[in-house]
Amino acid sequence: MTEMVHGARAARPGDPVLPRWWRSVDSWSIAAVVALCAIGLLLGLAASPPLAERNGHAPFYYVTKQAAYVTVSLCIMLVASMLSPRMIRRLAVLGFLAVLVALIFLPVFGTDFGKGAVRWYSLGFAALQPSEFLKPLFIVFAAWLMSASAELDGPPGTAMSLGTALVVAGLLILQPDFGQAVLILFGWAVMYFVAGAPMLLLLVVAAAALGAGAMAYSLSDHFARRIDGFLAETVDPSSQLGFASNAIREGGYFGVGVGEGQVKWSLPDAHTDFIIAVAAEEYGLMLVLAVIVLYLVITVRAFLRLIVERDPFIRFAGCGIAALFGAQAIINMGVAVRLLPAKGMTLPFVSYGGSSMLAGGLALGILLALTRERPQGAMADLLRGRVPG
Amino acid sequence: MTRAPLRPLAPVLEARARGENPDRIERAERRRRHEALRDRQRQRAESRLITLAVMFCLLFGAVGMRMAALAGSEVARASHSGGDSGIVAQRADIVDRNGAILATNLITHALYAQPPLMVDKPRAARELAAIFPDMAAATLLERFTSDRKFIWLRRHLSPEQQQAVHDIGEPGLRFGPREMRLYPNGPLAAHVLGGAGFGREGVAAAEIVGRAGVEKTFDAFLRDPAQGGQPLALSIDLSVQAAMREVLDRGMEVTNARGAAAILMDVRTGEILAMVSLPDFDPNDRPAPQTEGDPSESPLFNRAVQGLYELGSTFKVFTAAMALEEGIVTPDTVIDIRGPLRWGKHRIEDFHDLGRELSVTGIVVESSNIGTARLAQALGAERQQGYLDALGLLDPTGIELLEGGARPLYPRRWSELSTMTISYGHGLSASPLHLAAGYATIANGGHQVTPTLLRRNRPPPLGPAVISEQTSRQVLTMLRQVVTEGTASFGEVAGYAVGGKTGTADKPMPRGGYYEDKVIATFAAVFPVQAPRYVLVTMFDEGTVSALGEARRTAGWTAVPVAAEIIRRAGPLLGLRPAVESRAGPAVMLASGQ
């Protein structure tokens, strides 16, 4: 429909796919993702040899694996970013249903790898964490439902998406994986916010979330321990958090030097959840700020590009994914600096981890596809004498 | 928003008048409303998206600020316990009573292989096999090429070996620093020290744990960093220990014995100055415990402490002391010793005919079984048991060795026959250490002693009295006479006034009964008799000497000469001044003692 509108940047017949894609996609965000992956590999060179040594692998075993993941992840991202929003919606809805089934059967077929939470499917050579893939797919699914309710006489899609969000969050809490559950609910809330939630309701929901957190604290040991660790005024220097804070302090503004860091030897999760501590120790505040700026670029650019978007589905899905992406980065780094209680959450594209990396590529691919510049019919409005919003 | 109808009446009527389909008007109206709705939503979304963008900027900003604040702050360190008194060696040294090192630590390295890091596995295997003759290149290569990631190769290396391995230049062969327990004196005090081995092993360090002996008993003390590396001082005198081991070893060779043991104890404090059990071992290379055969034949077996033997006639001294203490006899009371003494179907005989009667002194000096049994009969089971208990012969000695918990064996029902046989050392099995402690009590004026392997920095208070000073003196006179005119005549050492009592007991057969030709020969000596300082117990297991055309097995021929040689060599080392003694020594001493 919109391609036929006069005055829009029209696709000429026979216009090659790639140039058109390149003209319309957000190349700054692509550059930021590639930069994050490069930083992730650079940090992996420092952070993963101790783990490789513990597990009896060659020193750069995990770096090699991560490089492979990065390649696959970037491919997924580029391919997904070339899809049309309609295609994205169709595939993602099907994908969401498939992953949801996988999540439901996790307690039966999954493993916990001795970490206390059943989150993974072991495939022998690799482990898959369905909840990582679930996040972007759920956002698309929920955006579809919400956009339907944004139509005149549409179905009650918002309520249905809320129901879905609660079911998914419930499944994640059963693992238990409070971090991902909170992220899912947060993503849904952002979409609802953008879709025009009444302010009063937002306040009520925030209060309810606090109440749920308090209940989880009193009912679940796993959760309570982590909160207690966060609330403790003085942090034990020999705990994970203590090591991380010390690493950041040691690093100072310019770092202790490449390969000189010590925290990677003491932190079991140095290459995943606490990778930012390794970055801070070896390269200092400079690299950390650079990483923060890269996440900020991706997140905020997505929001700003979505302002002109007229299709509610694209707007909801896009801002939901951008918010999830940004929130995950903030939570991960916020834990390392003790702004937030400890959560097992990876730093997208930087932490080591196959599932996280591939799912990150998928999410960013969807986001890039949704934030592509496309004709919005503004000229037609002017010609028809309507005042564009 | 005012409610507007989907189909406004006026345009519909107009359209109908023009003959057009009025549905178009509804569609147009719907379209207009849809677009208006979308515009409204988009307007609201615009402000909310900007809100979101600002919020995320703020959150990322907060994380960044916090990072900056942390990066600029001071490093918190885990507080260290302990002061800056220097590095404390992992395990404290063990020293003898004069501070000579008995056990210390040596820095060494363990060798391990990480096959994934290896460059040239066949060459590494070949060169390792050349350095360590007990490794085979083929086996090594097989282990390197298996899918193992980590292989221990050697627990410790000599510096030469380490350099040689280093020179292979193989990055997959790595060294882990170690502290290794070193016993510079080799087997000298093997059974006392016991030995140590590695406990938990890591790449960077290994824990040393005591395996036996004082290393095990005082493991916690030796490993306690709070002790500040203060060494454990034993009561052992290294030079005396060396002399004793050398003489005993020679004696074992001459007598062709299966084993031998000797203990030198301070009669006053119970400190053990030397303790040897042969055969022994090198604690630097402690053999694995024997899994088959008689464990008491293993070199690890400490005969002085663990071995329980019927100690024979050495017990007659205790019986005589009891009878004297109870006032039943005096040293000169004459006892009827006509034999054999029948008791039920048992007969008690003397080794050879000693005539019709002997004084108590004579019974001890000539070692008359019948005479001793008669004394015991007069004492009764209860009193005998009480004295033996007070002498520590019925309980474990409490020596600070894991092996020292041996409880003497005696009949549960202490019959009158038991009383008679135990009086001359049969029917009760005790360790040589028990015997030494009992003799120490007799020699020190009658006070109980507790044997110990730790150096006493000041003399302990006297133990409770078991026998009187006078009885002690009388018994010492008899002991001196045993050496001067009795069975232990080879025990005379010029200047050291040795007193003592021999004991030769037939070895029991495993299935009951006694061997005809296998004996435990024991000599318990006290010196110098005028003012006793030390007790020496020497024991030979199945020793034989052929002399005067006969195979001689009695203690007088085996244990006594060896004990005399030990005293001859140990006396000067102990700082004892040799005293010139008149031939009529005992009588003079008795007079001076009273």
Side-chain angles (χ1 to χ4, degrees):
Chain A
M1 168 183 94
T2 46
E3 282 88 347
M4 291 155 66
V5 174
H6 170 75
R9 187 188 279 165
R12 287 182 301 277
D15 192 14
V17 173
L18 282 180
R20 195 173 64 196
W21 169 78
W22 179 247
R23 276 202 308 276
S24 58
V25 83
D26 183 9
S27 46
W28 281 99
S29 291
I30 294 184
V33 169
V34 172
L36 284 175
C37 290
I39 290 174
L41 285 174
L42 180 70
L43 294 176
L45 286 174
S48 70
L51 181 81
E53 186 167 305
R54 274 200 294 277
N55 291 356
H57 296 298
F60 295 125
Y61 173 81
Y62 289 107
V63 182
T64 326
K65 273 185 93 167
Q66 198 185 354
Y69 290 141
V70 164
T71 315
V72 177
S73 168
L74 290 181
C75 288
I76 290 178
M77 182 180 85
L78 295 181
V79 169
S81 72
M82 290 176 194
L83 298 175
S84 70
R86 176 180 300 230
M87 204 62 185
I88 292 276
R89 190 181 70 204
R90 287 176 181 163
L91 292 178
V93 166
L94 291 178
F96 170 71
L97 295 175
V99 175
L100 189 62
V101 170
L103 196 67
I104 288 168
F105 282 106
L106 202 54
V108 187
F109 300 112
T111 60
D112 64 351
F113 290 109
K115 292 182 189 174
V118 184
R119 294 178 187 171
W120 294 271
Y121 278 112
S122 176
L123 300 183
F125 61 94
L128 270 185
Q129 191 180 352
S131 58
E132 288 283 352
F133 295 95
L134 190 73
K135 283 181 292 183
L137 299 178
F138 163 77
I139 293 294
V140 175
F141 181 77
W144 177 50
L145 291 177
M146 271 192 200
S147 66
S149 75
E151 295 294 325
L152 284 173
D153 306 328
T158 308
M160 287 160 71
S161 65
L162 176 61
T164 318
L166 292 177
V167 167
V168 169
L171 285 174
L172 290 172
I173 286 174
L174 285 180
Q175 289 186 357
D177 193 345
F178 289 100
Q180 306 277 23
V182 166
L183 266 189
I184 289 282
L185 292 177
F186 174 74
W188 182 85
V190 165
M191 285 192 291
Y192 186 45
F193 175 67
V194 172
M199 274 301 172
L200 184 67
L201 189 67
L202 288 178
L203 292 177
V204 170
V205 167
L210 276 179
M215 211 165 80
Y217 178 79
S218 58
L219 292 183
S220 164
D221 284 345
H222 181 84
F223 194 70
R225 256 196 317 261
R226 295 198 152 191
I227 299 284
D228 284 343
F230 170 64
L231 291 180
E233 192 52 50
T234 53
V235 59
D236 176 8
S238 61
S239 68
Q240 289 228 24
L241 282 174
F243 281 129
S245 313
N246 261 359
I248 296 167
R249 291 185 174 126
E250 290 276 6
Y253 298 118
F254 301 102
V256 296
V258 179
E260 297 294 315
Q262 295 305 312
V263 70
K264 56 197 179 192
W265 298 100
S266 14
L267 272 182
D269 289 335
H271 63 309
T272 56
D273 295 0
F274 285 96
I275 188 84
I276 199 71
V278 176
E281 188 179 25
E282 301 210 343
Y283 300 91
L285 186 64
M286 293 300 118
L287 185 73
V288 175
L289 291 183
V291 168
I292 291 177
V293 168
L294 288 173
Y295 284 115
L296 191 67
V297 163
I298 295 172
T299 315
V300 172
R301 275 188 73 87
F303 287 138
L304 296 182
R305 284 171 78 97
L306 287 168
I307 287 177
V308 299
E309 181 57 60
R310 296 193 165 209
D311 187 334
F313 162 71
I314 295 179
R315 194 164 58 228
F316 299 161
C319 68
I321 290 179
L324 273 197
F325 181 76
Q328 191 166 345
I330 288 172
I331 291 175
N332 177 286
M333 291 187 285
V335 167
V337 296
R338 293 192 5 93
L339 273 177
L340 294 169
K343 286 239 170 9
M345 202 166 290
T346 55
L347 194 55
F349 293 111
V350 177
S351 290
Y352 172 81
S355 292
S356 147
M357 186 68 75
L358 301 187
L362 181 66
L364 257 284
I366 293 174
L367 183 63
L368 289 172
L370 295 178
T371 59
R372 277 170 75 174
E373 262 177 55
R374 56 179 63 80
Q376 299 291 356
M379 196 60 81
D381 286 349
L382 284 177
L383 286 174
R384 241 183 283 148
R386 287 178 67 245
V387 181
Chain B
M1 178 177 150
T2 54
R3 275 185 73 87
L6 263 176
R7 290 166 77 103
L9 196 56
V12 169
L13 289 176
E14 246 174 65
R16 278 190 184 149
R18 282 203 302 275
E20 287 171 2
N21 187 353
D23 286 355
R24 267 191 60 219
I25 293 173
E26 186 187 336
R27 279 207 297 276
E29 179 64 21
R30 276 189 181 276
R31 182 186 166 86
R32 202 187 57 74
R33 287 189 184 190
H34 186 244
E35 281 179 353
L37 177 73
R38 286 212 163 181
D39 283 347
R40 218 169 39 247
Q41 283 180 343
R42 191 153 58 86
Q43 250 169 341
R44 189 169 48 195
E46 183 174 340
S47 61
R48 294 205 169 179
L49 280 169
I50 290 175
T51 313
L52 274 179
V54 170
M55 191 182 88
F56 270 86
C57 282
L58 289 177
L59 287 174
F60 275 116
V63 171
M65 297 289 280
R66 179 78 196 226
M67 281 278 180
L70 264 181
S73 63
E74 277 300 301
V75 177
R77 299 233 177 259
S79 55
H80 292 281
S81 58
D84 43 2
S85 55
I87 297 167
V88 175
Q90 220 178 6
R91 193 177 177 84
D93 288 350
I94 300 176
V95 297
D96 84 340
R97 62 185 303 111
N98 303 316
I101 295 280
L102 293 175
T104 186
N105 301 310
L106 192 67
I107 301 295
T108 177
H109 284 86
L111 175 64
Y112 61 93
Q114 283 186 302
L117 300 183
M118 294 181 87
V119 176
D120 187 350
K121 291 176 184 175
R123 191 177 77 92
R126 216 167 43 241
E127 303 221 3
L128 274 181
I131 298 168
F132 304 106
D134 56 334
M135 290 184 180
T139 332
L140 279 175
L141 187 57
E142 196 177 308
R143 292 174 71 192
F144 290 162
T145 47
S146 70
D147 54 1
R148 290 177 59 185
K149 303 279 191 291
F150 189 99
I151 302 165
W152 282 116
L153 292 174
R154 291 297 265 218
R155 282 276 167 70
H156 33 75
L157 301 173
S158 71
E160 292 84 0
Q161 287 169 332
Q162 193 189 347
Q163 186 59 46
V165 174
H166 188 78
D167 288 344
I168 299 177
E170 174 59 66
L173 294 176
R174 322 193 102 192
F175 303 107
R178 284 281 178 284
E179 268 193 347
M180 172 191 146
R181 203 63 166 161
L182 180 77
Y183 304 95
N185 307 302
L188 250 192
H191 289 101
V192 173
L193 295 170
F198 290 124
R200 284 177 314 203
E201 273 187 282
V203 170
E207 183 179 68
I208 300 179
V209 292
R211 289 265 180 265
V214 290
E215 287 271 28
K216 174 128 184 173
T217 316
F218 295 102
D219 196 40
F221 173 88
L222 292 167
R223 284 161 68 175
D224 187 0
Q227 298 295 332
Q230 187 196 348
L232 176 70
L234 297 187
S235 59
I236 297 291
D237 185 315
L238 188 60
S239 52
V240 177
Q241 176 84 14
M244 179 188 276
R245 182 174 181 278
E246 190 184 330
V247 173
L248 200 66
D249 194 36
R250 195 73 53 78
M252 208 167 94
E253 222 169 88
V254 170
T255 59
N256 206 14
R258 294 179 77 90
I263 298 166
L264 181 72
M265 186 191 280
D266 186 310
V267 296
R268 168 79 175 75
T269 63
E271 288 171 287
I272 294 168
L273 288 117
M275 177 158 81
V276 175
S277 168
L278 294 176
D280 58 8
F281 59 95
D282 185 350
N284 290 306
D285 186 17
R286 191 178 160 84
Q290 203 167 295
T291 48
E292 51 191 39
D294 187 353
S296 66
E297 299 294 329
S298 158
L300 294 175
F301 187 76
N302 187 348
R303 288 163 194 273
V305 170
Q306 280 172 290
L308 294 175
Y309 308 98
E310 290 180 314
L311 291 164
S313 309
T314 50
F315 266 54
K316 287 173 185 158
V317 174
F318 299 136
T319 309
M322 293 170 206
L324 291 171
E325 181 67 18
E326 287 295 317
I328 298 167
V329 292
T330 67
D332 303 319
T333 309
V334 173
I335 307 281
D336 176 11
I337 56 159
R338 276 173 303 175
L341 180 61
R342 293 183 187 278
W343 192 265
K345 45 185 187 167
H346 297 274
R347 278 164 22 132
I348 296 174
E349 287 174 318
D350 284 327
F351 188 64
H352 44 249
D353 187 19
L354 295 171
R356 297 166 57 86
E357 51 186 35
L358 270 175
S359 67
V360 174
T361 305
I363 287 171
V364 171
V365 172
E366 299 295 333
S367 197
S368 163
N369 292 345
I370 299 168
T372 315
R374 291 241 187 265
L375 289 178
Q377 268 182 307
L379 266 170
E382 211 167 294
R383 281 192 283 186
Q384 182 190 40
Q385 227 171 329
Y387 277 105
L388 289 177
D389 195 22
L391 288 166
L393 289 163
L394 303 183
D395 289 309
T397 53
I399 189 78
E400 299 93 341
L401 292 177
L402 187 72
E403 306 86 346
R407 177 177 287 278
L409 302 174
Y410 49 85
R412 191 165 301 164
R413 207 176 65 77
W414 200 291
S415 65
E416 192 161 359
L417 180 66
S418 302
T419 309
M420 288 158 72
T421 59
I422 288 171
S423 74
Y424 58 86
H426 288 261
L428 187 150
S429 300
S431 68
L433 183 64
H434 280 103
L435 189 67
Y439 267 70
T441 300
I442 302 281
N444 71 9
H447 300 279
Q448 270 180 3
V449 295
T450 312
T452 180
L453 275 167
L454 294 185
R455 187 178 71 193
R456 297 207 197 272
N457 292 321
R458 67 180 74 86
L462 286 172
V466 179
I467 57 169
S468 67
E469 187 87 39
Q470 189 195 354
T471 310
S472 163
R473 199 31 63 208
Q474 288 169 340
V475 174
L476 283 170
T477 310
M478 294 178 193
L479 288 177
R480 178 67 184 137
Q481 273 177 278
V482 175
V483 174
T484 50
E485 53 205 64
T487 52
S489 53
F490 289 144
E492 178 68 351
V493 181
Y496 289 115
V498 179
K501 179 74 191 82
T502 57
T504 308
D506 289 337
K507 270 182 88 170
M509 288 193 276
R511 298 233 174 84
Y514 288 88
Y515 289 110
E516 286 286 310
D517 56 350
K518 293 183 179 175
V519 298
I520 298 284
T522 315
F523 180 50
V526 178
F527 65 95
V529 170
Q530 315 88 308
R533 293 277 306 278
Y534 302 104
V535 157
L536 172 68
V537 169
T538 314
M539 187 211 79
F540 279 91
D541 186 353
E542 296 182 24
T544 319
V545 177
S546 77
L548 309 176
E550 246 188 281
R552 309 276 184 175
R553 297 193 180 84
T554 54
W557 288 93
T558 55
V560 173
V562 171
E565 181 60 22
I566 291 173
I567 292 169
R568 192 170 293 122
R569 292 181 58 169
L573 294 172
L574 292 166
L576 283 184
R577 175 192 286 262
V580 181
E581 215 181 349
S582 72
R583 265 280 127 208
V588 171
M589 270 163 21
L590 189 54
S592 66
Q594 282 170 337

